[in-house]
Amino acid sequence: MNVPMQDTRAAVDGELTRPLVDGVKRLFKQRRGRMFLSPGSATAAWEAAVTNTLDPGDKVLTARHGHFSKRWVELATELGLEVEVVDRPWGDAVPVEEMARRLEADRDGRIKAVFVTHNETATGVTSPVAAMREVLDELDHSALLFADAASSIGAIDFRMDAWGVDVAVCGSRNGALTPAGLAMLGVSDQAMAATERARRRRAHFDFAETARLDDHGYVPYTAPTPLLEGLRASLDALFAEGLEQVFARHRRLAEGVRRGVRAWGLDTVARDPRFRSNTVTAVRVPADVDAREVVRIAHGRYRTPLGGGLGPLDGKVFRIRHLGGLDEVTCLSTLAGAEMALKEAGCPIELGAGVGAAQGYFQDAGMAFDLRAVA
Amino acid sequence: MNVPMQDTRAAVDGELTRPLVDGVKRLFKQRRGRMFLSPGSATAAWEAAVTNTLDPGDKVLTARHGHFSKRWVELATELGLEVEVVDRPWGDAVPVEEMARRLEADRDGRIKAVFVTHNETATGVTSPVAAMREVLDELDHSALLFADAASSIGAIDFRMDAWGVDVAVCGSRNGALTPAGLAMLGVSDQAMAATERARRRRAHFDFAETARLDDHGYVPYTAPTPLLEGLRASLDALFAEGLEQVFARHRRLAEGVRRGVRAWGLDTVARDPRFRSNTVTAVRVPADVDAREVVRIAHGRYRTPLGGGLGPLDGKVFRIRHLGGLDEVTCLSTLAGAEMALKEAGCPIELGAGVGAAQGYFQDAGMAFDLRAVA
Amino acid sequence: MNVPMQDTRAAVDGELTRPLVDGVKRLFKQRRGRMFLSPGSATAAWEAAVTNTLDPGDKVLTARHGHFSKRWVELATELGLEVEVVDRPWGDAVPVEEMARRLEADRDGRIKAVFVTHNETATGVTSPVAAMREVLDELDHSALLFADAASSIGAIDFRMDAWGVDVAVCGSRNGALTPAGLAMLGVSDQAMAATERARRRRAHFDFAETARLDDHGYVPYTAPTPLLEGLRASLDALFAEGLEQVFARHRRLAEGVRRGVRAWGLDTVARDPRFRSNTVTAVRVPADVDAREVVRIAHGRYRTPLGGGLGPLDGKVFRIRHLGGLDEVTCLSTLAGAEMALKEAGCPIELGAGVGAAQGYFQDAGMAFDLRAVA
Amino acid sequence: MNVPMQDTRAAVDGELTRPLVDGVKRLFKQRRGRMFLSPGSATAAWEAAVTNTLDPGDKVLTARHGHFSKRWVELATELGLEVEVVDRPWGDAVPVEEMARRLEADRDGRIKAVFVTHNETATGVTSPVAAMREVLDELDHSALLFADAASSIGAIDFRMDAWGVDVAVCGSRNGALTPAGLAMLGVSDQAMAATERARRRRAHFDFAETARLDDHGYVPYTAPTPLLEGLRASLDALFAEGLEQVFARHRRLAEGVRRGVRAWGLDTVARDPRFRSNTVTAVRVPADVDAREVVRIAHGRYRTPLGGGLGPLDGKVFRIRHLGGLDEVTCLSTLAGAEMALKEAGCPIELGAGVGAAQGYFQDAGMAFDLRAVA
């Protein structure tokens, strides 16, 4: 009847969350530093990351080339940081060379952190986080590297340690995980050291205090049990399939979808083929077609959920998400729904063309599942 | 801690099952007679139906034109009935005219019951139960009409009262319902009267005793709660959509699938278009293709579950089931998986052709969901 | 989308049910013969057992000393058997010596089976099945030994093989298992041999046919998945605790309850201490107290579910069930609720007396859980 | 397949959370101002409340008389507030008169907020929030009134509007709700006005921004669906029983537990009978007994979860929680487990005495459930 109270509870929670933390670190490919699981949103975790490691007036450098990179500019500004922004057209990746120029110009080391959105969900663009780290290392620049790892973790390879990422944030729903409600926050030793220098006052989610409790097997919150169980199930499924197999599957499914888009005669928002995302494809519709209508028909008439265009892409773009526990046939059904919706919205599409192109690719690309396993 | 025992329990169960019985009667379009829900299989319910209403040596008339009609011949034989069988090629419907001839020839009324399989799952053929009743009425023949309503209930119109069905049997999984484990047994007043004449001894599932308990709000078993809850959810979903809408949806989806099959250049097992089933389509493959291979590839490589050919159709036929809470896009995904498997098994199929033909039909056939509902 | 049909399905089900069958055999302590799991009630399984092994006109011997033994007399009579009944007061165990006399008098071996109710739920009496086997062996009598194992399996030791039981029946809810809806039917080699001699016709649940399918990994029904999962969880819990530990726990809890009853100054229906059941205690109330009132107050005012008296015990007896995953404190709470109800129904009880007596026994009887496990 | 993204999602969430927000406001008895539901802990919500309405250097007044009031002193200090603390022995309620004196002395209105812990879980003391509001009103003092409503909401009457509470915080697990993971934060119009004056920078959980989104039907996070469903179920259960009935039930159960404690000859930590909590009772053990041992035996041997003593009460106190969907018999079982543990830990207790005293009270105190409802 009595749930034990504060102190006792925390000890129990530690036992509960410890294997989850280990699993999430494996997912982030992180061996060093800290991983914090926290009930709450990824945005709350971003704020915690910023306020624990940076002070008002500190300068950060970031590109703005999509919906989410734009949000992190706003968040940093609201928190009193000085943000140096490199604007690029939505659809571009992070402009690593221009970022390098800015860092090189920062001779007195005023830039304390660089923000990168690994996978920009609004445009379907995956940026090279590793290249950003190489730049910092070559310049011997001490800025911390922050990565928004939402919608890549668990679907596209992410390497916390190997890429020298100092802060990586992912919400439990934004990656290939379920359900929403937990934030995952990887913090490097360098970022932990920065927290000791930071002067901003925090009570809740102070990194140093949270780490201290963690060392004693405590967590500073009551366990949101259904979320932890959901995360456990998600991790088990990912590791059972194998992380590299999961990444390969997302690559294959994404390429099938792109073949379908090409067979429709349409372009993706992502211009450079090297940076096309394996978890989401943003598709430009012809000028005389309203992409909102495509989304509306697909959802309303064919129960096919497509994402709409965000911000400046509104009406011009619809998005196909291919993230999570999907297989070829599920992606084909989405293409089938989308092509019916495109045709009804006025796009001169031949029914079956996109599906057929993807089918052809899937047949050539080899097996999703090993036939021997079911023989 | 103490679950109340025998007598008390039954009263509680009656409250639990009463609304379910009412829902199932609505599904069977039955207002008169009795509906028995019973934990156990549909086969057990068939045996109970036979032994409650017929005696060893009684004669029954039935066609044998598929896997399930064949099973009922065997069951009746094992139970000591004399079975007059009209054999027809698998793929035919019940031969009503020949059945009429046999009944007409039965001048001294030795035939006590006629068995009809409403929807033959092995061949994808729906037989006209109503026509069978008309024959009996025109001949003024007193034989009871038994219908196997598995795989039609909840997807294809079935009318217990209007068609004068005396015994209708459906398992909770065989129709559009879930999960397996409950049998539904509709019994007309005429069949209940027959139970009083039957001499065979039964202890469990005696219709007269079960009806007597039912009148007092009892059921003669402990409630299998998860099954009852599952059935409740299935019924709620069917009635929320509307039975006639459910039937129309199955009609539309089945026709889309058939258009896809035709675009592949293949035939259905069901020859007469009037009797093609709206819940399952059995597809003949070319002579040089092994249908088992199609099923194996579809399942193993594309996770698309197809049914194999049963009995004489083994290797020659695969089956597409389009039964339950499906929509256009789900059917398109099955066609997409099947056409990849067909091609890999050696069938000269153009990828996308079947899907495209079905898409075209779906676009012309009007909306599955009213766009206004999501505007 | 397509659930594979008949033949394929059965193969899959066999894989599903195989480990469950093994688990249930372990529970019955059965290595030889067959174990059939069947969706449906224990009564249906009893009927199947009788009709598969005995013919109309065959003679069976049984005592009638409680609600369930009375039911099996009725069932056997309805199925056309000749039943030789030994009547004893409700509260007695099976009168082994009188049964022995009857068997000895049966010189020409007309008695084909002996029925024993292992644990009579209505009276809280556990009868010595092993002693019944010894009698049969000493007399070299070939009658089959049928045991109703409901409400003992999984709580009181039962030994199919060691006791030479030929048919043992238990419903998934009647024992310490959940949920209702599955019958478990253990059949010895001798009983299987008898099925070949039996002349009665069966279609559903023919033992020989079911065994033949089982040898090929098939089961003759669609799997009621939620029931199988429930049974799996129940078995896992029992084996994790250890069967002998489970029996010891039920012994300890039952004795605590009996100490409480004695402290109230009341008697149990079971007269001979050797045969008092460890899963249910039937308590006689004083003549001027209405036991129905005790049950009603306990349930309505204190949410404490007590069982009522069945048949001739109605109004004179209430029953405390101590079966399943219970511990000391749960039993104390039932005693607490019962003693408040008793007092309000007019029984001169000192509040706390029954609880205190049980507490004292529990303290002396040693630990339910090993303190070291939680230290 | 595609979960719609950012903007669409928020609109959907708003529909999901709207009825929950209405339900929680009903629970807080709040009609005016704002109610924010936020994934995350109550501590995070406290921090948000402080940083949205107060600036570093602002002065707050609070008593420190238990574990949680102590925590809020620490939190405020960490966030840079100047905290005027009135220390009282653990077990006392908020010293309203002394608080009044301090407020009266604050002639120039430097105190911006008063913190009150409504129900102190560590000591089992409920403080008079209404009296604190009366003091503020009589003095015409403009300080905001903050209330920690954890472990009272949904069990003990709380009146946001009537008591003039400006900020009330409760975690979804700390009250009678489940599961953990959501914070509920009631904010008055006065506190909302204060947010406009506050200068501290926030990105996440900015009250003004959150309120603006809320007016457009948005929520600034992805819905943690299982938590929202759990909260919905908790609210449904509370309203079905009736809030006033829920409060009465907690009053009755708590008094029963206190009678049991008195029968053991022990004292509660809460000294003034007027302020004894109806959701938790902290019990002092004799000087020669180690309360940790009582907790350990109760948990390890009798699976009875008791809370330990916190901070200065460690080893001297154990706590019985009587919060949530409990009834008389559940409380009796906890008393039964506790009294066995007390005796084994060396406390000279008569077994059954505490249980009997509580039983006697429950019989006199009238019915928990209306007998007519089950007649």
Side-chain angles (χ1 to χ4, degrees):
Chain A
M1 185 179 88
N2 299 307
V3 298
M5 316 218 168
Q6 187 58 20
D7 301 322
T8 318
R9 176 203 70 205
V12 173
D13 286 354
E15 285 169 36
L16 248 171
T17 54
R18 172 65 51 205
L20 286 174
V21 166
D22 291 344
V24 173
K25 288 181 89 165
R26 189 173 155 200
L27 202 58
F28 278 65
K29 299 191 173 174
Q30 178 193 17
R31 286 176 174 277
R32 297 187 293 273
R34 295 279 177 178
M35 167 56 67
F36 301 122
L37 291 189
S38 173
S41 66
T43 308
W46 259 100
E47 176 170 334
V50 166
T51 55
N52 270 284
T53 60
L54 301 168
D55 285 320
D58 278 356
K59 192 170 172 179
V60 299
L61 172 67
T62 184
R64 181 165 49 193
H65 56 117
H67 184 75
F68 287 93
S69 48
K70 178 167 161 278
R71 273 182 71 184
W72 306 137
V73 170
E74 292 162 3
L75 179 139
T77 308
E78 283 158 13
L79 291 171
L81 304 188
E82 180 186 340
V83 188
E84 181 168 343
V85 177
V86 181
D87 274 299
R88 277 297 176 273
W90 285 32
D92 277 15
V94 166
V96 176
E97 289 179 24
E98 177 60 25
M99 301 285 279
R101 259 189 299 277
R102 305 291 181 106
L103 286 163
E104 195 165 13
D106 178 45
R107 311 225 181 247
D108 47 353
R110 288 204 49 233
I111 296 173
K112 300 299 183 202
V114 177
F115 290 0
V116 179
T117 296
H118 183 215
N119 188 65
E120 172 57 68
T121 305
T123 60
V125 168
T126 305
S127 287
V129 177
M132 214 51 247
R133 164 53 56 200
E134 283 164 24
V135 165
L136 288 165
D137 286 354
E138 274 163 31
L139 296 173
D140 201 21
H141 197 291
S142 66
L144 296 171
L145 180 57
F146 280 50
D148 173 2
S151 78
S152 60
I153 285 293
I156 298 173
D157 197 12
F158 183 87
R159 309 182 182 192
M160 181 88 189
D161 286 359
W163 297 349
V165 175
D166 292 300
V167 174
V169 179
C170 183
S172 58
R173 176 64 178 280
N174 293 331
L177 306 166
T178 56
L182 282 173
M184 293 164 283
L185 184 46
V187 184
S188 73
D189 291 331
Q190 288 72 19
M192 285 303 295
T195 67
E196 294 179 19
R197 294 188 301 270
R199 302 181 315 270
R200 200 188 305 248
R201 293 169 172 287
R202 294 191 58 83
H204 167 68
F205 212 159
D206 178 272
F207 284 4
E209 171 69 7
T210 305
R212 194 187 61 77
L213 286 173
D214 187 48
D215 288 339
H216 291 81
Y218 292 67
V219 293
Y221 51 83
T222 309
T225 314
L227 303 185
L228 299 180
E229 287 169 353
L231 180 58
R232 177 74 273 157
S234 290
L235 292 172
D236 287 349
L238 287 171
F239 296 140
E241 186 177 353
L243 274 187
E244 304 309 317
Q245 284 72 19
V246 168
F247 301 153
R249 176 166 56 80
H250 280 90
R251 255 196 317 274
R252 191 175 60 247
L253 296 178
E255 183 57 26
V257 168
R258 291 189 287 257
R259 299 287 176 105
V261 170
R262 200 184 307 156
W264 293 336
L266 301 180
D267 285 329
T268 61
V269 171
R271 287 186 294 194
D272 189 329
R274 292 175 300 162
F275 302 131
R276 288 190 180 131
S277 168
N278 289 332
T279 61
V280 61
T281 298
V283 182
R284 280 190 194 279
V285 298
D288 57 347
V289 171
D290 183 352
R292 285 171 298 212
E293 191 67 8
V294 177
V295 172
R296 199 175 72 90
I297 295 171
H299 174 54
R301 185 158 175 176
Y302 298 113
R303 294 208 294 196
T304 298
L306 302 175
L310 295 177
L313 303 179
D314 186 27
K316 300 174 183 167
V317 159
F318 71 89
R319 289 173 299 142
I320 299 174
R321 197 162 139 149
H322 27 85
L323 170 60
L326 308 176
D327 57 17
E328 281 77 356
V329 169
T330 325
C331 287
L332 293 174
S333 76
T334 303
L335 287 174
E339 73 189 17
M340 291 191 286
L342 273 166
K343 183 160 188 188
E344 285 174 54
C347 205
I349 293 283
E350 184 199 351
L351 292 175
V355 172
Q359 282 175 310
Y361 172 76
F362 290 145
Q363 288 206 322
D364 295 341
M367 284 177 285
F369 299 93
D370 191 334
L371 261 184
R372 286 166 301 183
V374 296
Chain B
M1 185 179 84
N2 300 305
V3 299
M5 315 213 169
Q6 187 58 17
D7 301 323
T8 320
R9 175 204 72 205
V12 172
D13 287 355
E15 283 169 38
L16 252 172
T17 54
R18 171 67 49 206
L20 287 174
V21 166
D22 290 345
V24 173
K25 289 182 87 165
R26 190 173 154 199
L27 202 58
F28 278 66
K29 299 191 173 172
Q30 177 194 19
R31 287 178 173 276
R32 296 188 293 273
R34 295 279 176 177
M35 168 56 67
F36 300 121
L37 292 188
S38 173
S41 66
T43 308
W46 258 100
E47 176 170 332
V50 167
T51 55
N52 270 282
T53 60
L54 300 170
D55 286 319
D58 278 356
K59 192 169 172 181
V60 299
L61 172 68
T62 184
R64 180 164 51 192
H65 56 117
H67 183 75
F68 287 93
S69 48
K70 177 165 160 278
R71 271 181 72 182
W72 307 136
V73 170
E74 291 162 4
L75 178 139
T77 306
E78 283 158 12
L79 291 172
L81 304 189
E82 180 187 339
V83 189
E84 182 169 341
V85 176
V86 181
D87 274 301
R88 278 295 177 275
W90 286 34
D92 276 17
V94 166
V96 176
E97 287 178 25
E98 177 59 25
M99 300 286 277
R101 258 189 299 278
R102 303 290 181 108
L103 286 163
E104 195 166 12
D106 178 45
R107 309 230 181 242
D108 47 355
R110 289 202 48 230
I111 296 172
K112 300 301 184 201
V114 178
F115 289 3
V116 179
T117 296
H118 184 216
N119 188 66
E120 172 57 67
T121 305
T123 59
V125 167
T126 305
S127 286
V129 177
M132 213 51 246
R133 165 51 59 200
E134 282 165 24
V135 165
L136 287 165
D137 285 355
E138 275 164 29
L139 295 173
D140 201 19
H141 197 292
S142 65
L144 297 171
L145 181 57
F146 279 51
D148 173 1
S151 77
S152 59
I153 286 293
I156 298 173
D157 198 10
F158 183 88
R159 307 184 183 190
M160 181 87 187
D161 286 358
W163 297 350
V165 176
D166 292 301
V167 175
V169 179
C170 183
S172 59
R173 178 61 180 283
N174 294 331
L177 306 165
T178 57
L182 281 174
M184 295 164 281
L185 183 47
V187 184
S188 73
D189 291 331
Q190 286 74 17
M192 285 303 295
T195 66
E196 295 180 17
R197 292 189 301 271
R199 300 181 315 267
R200 200 187 305 246
R201 292 169 173 285
R202 293 191 62 82
H204 168 66
F205 213 157
D206 177 272
F207 283 5
E209 172 69 8
T210 305
R212 194 187 62 77
L213 286 172
D214 187 49
D215 289 339
H216 291 82
Y218 291 67
V219 291
Y221 52 82
T222 310
T225 314
L227 303 186
L228 299 180
E229 287 168 355
L231 179 59
R232 177 75 274 156
S234 290
L235 291 172
D236 287 350
L238 286 172
F239 296 140
E241 185 177 354
L243 276 187
E244 304 310 317
Q245 284 73 22
V246 169
F247 301 151
R249 175 166 56 78
H250 279 89
R251 254 196 317 274
R252 191 176 58 246
L253 296 178
E255 183 57 25
V257 168
R258 291 188 286 257
R259 299 287 178 106
V261 171
R262 202 184 305 156
W264 294 336
L266 300 180
D267 284 330
T268 61
V269 171
R271 287 186 296 195
D272 189 329
R274 289 174 303 162
F275 302 130
R276 288 191 179 129
S277 169
N278 288 332
T279 61
V280 62
T281 297
V283 182
R284 282 191 192 277
V285 297
D288 57 345
V289 172
D290 182 352
R292 285 169 297 212
E293 192 67 10
V294 177
V295 172
R296 201 175 72 90
I297 296 170
H299 176 53
R301 186 157 173 175
Y302 299 113
R303 293 208 297 197
T304 299
L306 302 174
L310 295 176
L313 303 179
D314 185 27
K316 300 175 183 165
V317 158
F318 70 87
R319 288 173 300 142
I320 299 173
R321 198 162 140 146
H322 26 85
L323 170 61
L326 309 176
D327 57 17
E328 280 78 356
V329 168
T330 325
C331 287
L332 293 173
S333 76
T334 303
L335 287 174
E339 75 189 16
M340 290 192 286
L342 273 167
K343 184 162 188 185
E344 286 173 53
C347 205
I349 293 282
E350 185 198 351
L351 292 175
V355 171
Q359 284 176 311
Y361 172 76
F362 290 145
Q363 289 207 323
D364 295 342
M367 283 176 287
F369 301 93
D370 191 335
L371 262 181
R372 286 167 300 182
V374 296
Chain C
M1 186 179 85
N2 299 305
V3 299
M5 320 222 161
Q6 186 58 16
D7 302 322
T8 319
R9 175 203 72 206
V12 172
D13 288 353
E15 285 171 37
L16 250 171
T17 52
R18 171 67 49 207
L20 286 175
V21 166
D22 291 344
V24 172
K25 287 181 89 166
R26 190 173 155 199
L27 202 57
F28 278 66
K29 300 193 173 172
Q30 178 194 18
R31 288 176 174 277
R32 297 188 292 274
R34 296 278 176 179
M35 169 54 68
F36 301 121
L37 291 188
S38 174
S41 65
T43 308
W46 259 100
E47 175 170 335
V50 166
T51 57
N52 269 282
T53 59
L54 301 170
D55 284 320
D58 279 357
K59 192 168 171 181
V60 299
L61 172 67
T62 185
R64 182 163 50 195
H65 55 117
H67 183 76
F68 287 94
S69 48
K70 176 165 161 281
R71 271 183 73 184
W72 306 136
V73 170
E74 290 161 4
L75 178 138
T77 307
E78 282 158 14
L79 290 170
L81 304 188
E82 182 187 337
V83 189
E84 182 169 342
V85 177
V86 180
D87 274 300
R88 278 294 176 276
W90 287 33
D92 277 15
V94 167
V96 176
E97 289 178 24
E98 176 60 24
M99 301 286 277
R101 260 189 298 279
R102 304 290 182 109
L103 286 163
E104 195 167 13
D106 178 45
R107 313 231 177 241
D108 47 355
R110 288 201 52 230
I111 294 173
K112 300 301 181 197
V114 177
F115 290 2
V116 178
T117 296
H118 184 214
N119 189 64
E120 173 57 68
T121 306
T123 58
V125 168
T126 304
S127 286
V129 177
M132 212 53 247
R133 164 49 62 199
E134 283 165 24
V135 164
L136 287 166
D137 286 354
E138 275 163 29
L139 297 173
D140 201 20
H141 197 291
S142 66
L144 298 170
L145 180 57
F146 280 50
D148 173 2
S151 78
S152 59
I153 286 291
I156 298 173
D157 197 10
F158 182 88
R159 308 184 182 191
M160 181 88 188
D161 287 357
W163 297 349
V165 176
D166 293 298
V167 175
V169 179
C170 182
S172 58
R173 177 61 181 282
N174 293 332
L177 305 166
T178 57
L182 282 174
M184 294 164 284
L185 182 48
V187 183
S188 72
D189 292 329
Q190 287 72 18
M192 285 303 295
T195 67
E196 294 179 20
R197 292 189 301 269
R199 300 182 316 269
R200 200 188 304 247
R201 292 170 173 284
R202 294 190 59 84
H204 167 68
F205 214 159
D206 177 273
F207 283 4
E209 172 68 8
T210 305
R212 195 188 61 77
L213 286 172
D214 186 48
D215 288 339
H216 291 81
Y218 291 65
V219 292
Y221 51 83
T222 310
T225 314
L227 303 186
L228 299 179
E229 287 168 354
L231 180 58
R232 178 75 272 157
S234 290
L235 292 172
D236 287 350
L238 286 171
F239 296 140
E241 185 176 354
L243 276 187
E244 305 309 318
Q245 284 73 22
V246 169
F247 302 151
R249 176 166 55 79
H250 279 89
R251 253 196 317 274
R252 189 176 60 249
L253 297 178
E255 182 59 26
V257 168
R258 290 189 288 257
R259 300 287 178 106
V261 171
R262 202 184 306 158
W264 295 335
L266 301 181
D267 285 329
T268 61
V269 171
R271 287 185 292 192
D272 189 329
R274 291 174 301 160
F275 302 130
R276 287 188 181 133
S277 169
N278 289 332
T279 62
V280 60
T281 298
V283 182
R284 282 189 194 279
V285 297
D288 57 346
V289 171
D290 182 353
R292 284 171 299 212
E293 192 67 8
V294 177
V295 172
R296 200 174 73 90
I297 295 171
H299 175 53
R301 185 158 176 174
Y302 298 112
R303 295 209 295 197
T304 299
L306 301 175
L310 295 176
L313 303 180
D314 186 28
K316 300 175 183 166
V317 159
F318 69 89
R319 287 173 301 140
I320 299 174
R321 197 162 140 148
H322 28 84
L323 170 60
L326 310 176
D327 58 16
E328 279 78 355
V329 168
T330 325
C331 286
L332 293 174
S333 75
T334 303
L335 287 174
E339 75 190 17
M340 290 192 285
L342 273 166
K343 181 159 188 185
E344 286 173 53
C347 204
I349 294 282
E350 183 196 352
L351 292 175
V355 171
Q359 283 176 310
Y361 173 76
F362 291 146
Q363 288 206 324
D364 295 341
M367 282 177 286
F369 301 93
D370 190 337
L371 260 183
R372 286 165 301 182
V374 296
Chain D
M1 187 178 84
N2 299 304
V3 300
M5 319 218 163
Q6 186 58 18
D7 302 323
T8 320
R9 177 202 69 206
V12 173
D13 286 355
E15 284 169 37
L16 250 171
T17 52
R18 173 65 50 206
L20 286 175
V21 166
D22 291 345
V24 173
K25 288 182 88 164
R26 190 173 155 201
L27 202 57
F28 279 65
K29 298 191 174 173
Q30 177 194 20
R31 289 177 170 278
R32 297 188 292 273
R34 296 278 177 179
M35 168 56 66
F36 300 122
L37 291 189
S38 174
S41 66
T43 308
W46 258 100
E47 174 170 335
V50 166
T51 56
N52 269 282
T53 59
L54 301 168
D55 285 320
D58 278 357
K59 191 168 172 180
V60 298
L61 172 67
T62 184
R64 181 163 50 194
H65 56 118
H67 183 77
F68 287 93
S69 50
K70 176 167 162 279
R71 270 182 74 183
W72 306 136
V73 169
E74 291 161 3
L75 180 139
T77 307
E78 284 158 14
L79 291 170
L81 303 189
E82 181 188 338
V83 189
E84 181 169 342
V85 176
V86 180
D87 274 300
R88 278 294 176 275
W90 286 33
D92 276 17
V94 166
V96 176
E97 287 178 25
E98 176 60 25
M99 300 287 276
R101 260 189 299 279
R102 304 291 182 106
L103 287 163
E104 194 166 13
D106 178 46
R107 310 223 182 248
D108 47 357
R110 287 203 50 232
I111 296 172
K112 299 299 182 199
V114 176
F115 290 1
V116 178
T117 296
H118 184 215
N119 188 65
E120 173 58 69
T121 305
T123 58
V125 167
T126 304
S127 286
V129 177
M132 211 54 246
R133 164 52 57 199
E134 282 166 24
V135 164
L136 287 165
D137 285 354
E138 273 165 29
L139 296 173
D140 201 19
H141 197 291
S142 66
L144 296 171
L145 180 58
F146 280 49
D148 173 1
S151 76
S152 60
I153 285 292
I156 298 173
D157 197 12
F158 183 87
R159 308 184 182 190
M160 182 86 187
D161 286 358
W163 296 349
V165 175
D166 292 299
V167 174
V169 179
C170 182
S172 57
R173 177 64 180 281
N174 295 332
L177 305 166
T178 55
L182 282 174
M184 294 165 282
L185 182 47
V187 184
S188 73
D189 291 330
Q190 286 73 16
M192 284 304 295
T195 68
E196 295 178 19
R197 293 189 301 269
R199 301 181 314 268
R200 199 187 305 244
R201 290 168 176 284
R202 294 190 60 83
H204 167 68
F205 214 158
D206 178 273
F207 283 3
E209 172 68 7
T210 304
R212 194 189 61 77
L213 286 173
D214 186 48
D215 288 340
H216 291 80
Y218 291 67
V219 292
Y221 52 82
T222 310
T225 314
L227 303 186
L228 299 179
E229 287 169 355
L231 180 58
R232 176 74 273 156
S234 290
L235 291 172
D236 286 349
L238 286 171
F239 296 140
E241 185 176 354
L243 275 186
E244 305 309 317
Q245 283 73 23
V246 169
F247 301 152
R249 176 166 57 79
H250 280 89
R251 255 196 315 275
R252 189 176 58 247
L253 296 178
E255 183 57 26
V257 168
R258 291 188 288 257
R259 299 288 177 104
V261 171
R262 201 184 306 158
W264 294 335
L266 301 181
D267 283 330
T268 62
V269 172
R271 287 186 293 196
D272 188 328
R274 289 175 303 161
F275 302 130
R276 288 189 180 132
S277 169
N278 288 332
T279 63
V280 60
T281 297
V283 182
R284 283 189 193 278
V285 297
D288 56 347
V289 172
D290 183 352
R292 284 171 298 212
E293 192 67 7
V294 176
V295 172
R296 200 175 72 89
I297 295 171
H299 175 53
R301 185 159 176 174
Y302 298 113
R303 294 208 296 197
T304 298
L306 302 175
L310 295 176
L313 304 180
D314 186 27
K316 301 177 182 163
V317 158
F318 70 89
R319 289 172 300 141
I320 299 173
R321 197 161 139 150
H322 28 85
L323 169 60
L326 309 176
D327 57 17
E328 280 78 354
V329 168
T330 325
C331 287
L332 293 173
S333 75
T334 302
L335 287 174
E339 74 190 16
M340 290 191 286
L342 274 166
K343 182 160 188 186
E344 287 174 51
C347 205
I349 292 283
E350 183 197 354
L351 292 175
V355 172
Q359 283 175 311
Y361 173 75
F362 291 145
Q363 287 207 324
D364 295 343
M367 285 176 285
F369 300 93
D370 190 335
L371 261 183
R372 284 166 302 181
V374 295

